[in-house]
Amino acid sequence: MTSTQAATDRTLLGTLSVLAWIGDPSEGHDVPYLLAYALGDGPQGREAGEEAARALLREMGLRIGDVVEDGTHNPAAFPVQVVLADNQVALTMPGLNATCTAPDEWVAAANESGQVYFLFATRAWPEAVPGRPVDPDVLKAFAGDEAVLTGSAHCVLSVRRLQ
């Protein structure tokens, strides 16, 4: 006998956004980062959206916390994909897609290493509205917050490019 479990209702997340940034190359920290987060504007509110994010990550088999999943060994089978075309980054996950424009230095670092460090935050970030610049200190405060980091899924992903 088999049973099925209903898939997470992605609409509960609300607006899913993606932000690309790079560490400070002058400090030898040129890792390209990609952060996915919800704005907390889902139909049942921020808390329901945050729980939906946790459920989605569990459904994809991604652990939340300080474990870094390696999506580079078998990228085609990994549930999260990153595709780069010029400065456009497309993030795909089961039932979800999001895009963003990456800065030139991010693209150069991603092309050089062939990888990105991806975080999917379960905490909503309503202040980081798509299409508006995010102040570096605001980004540092959110992405460096211990509760955000321990409440996120972390992955190293291969960068695929459109030919």
Side-chain angles (χ1 to χ4, degrees), residues 28-116:
H29 191 71
D30 59 352
V31 174
Y33 292 96
L34 192 62
L35 171 66
Y37 59 93
L39 295 182
D41 60 352
Q44 294 182 14
R46 184 175 177 158
E47 285 185 24
E50 291 175 356
E51 180 51 42
R54 287 188 288 276
L56 173 66
L57 292 170
R58 284 190 301 269
E59 187 178 295
M60 288 190 298
L62 299 179
R63 293 174 283 182
I64 297 170
D66 60 359
V67 175
V68 180
E69 307 282 352
D70 188 349
T72 64
H73 289 305
N74 189 3
F78 202 74
V80 183
Q81 305 285 318
V82 173
V83 179
L84 180 60
D86 296 323
N87 287 63
Q88 296 303 304
V89 180
L91 175 69
T92 61
M93 296 173 280
L96 289 172
N97 296 308
T99 62
C100 71
T101 302
D104 291 337
E105 60 273 12
W106 189 96
V107 173
N111 282 332
E112 183 176 326
S113 69
Q115 300 177 344
V116 299

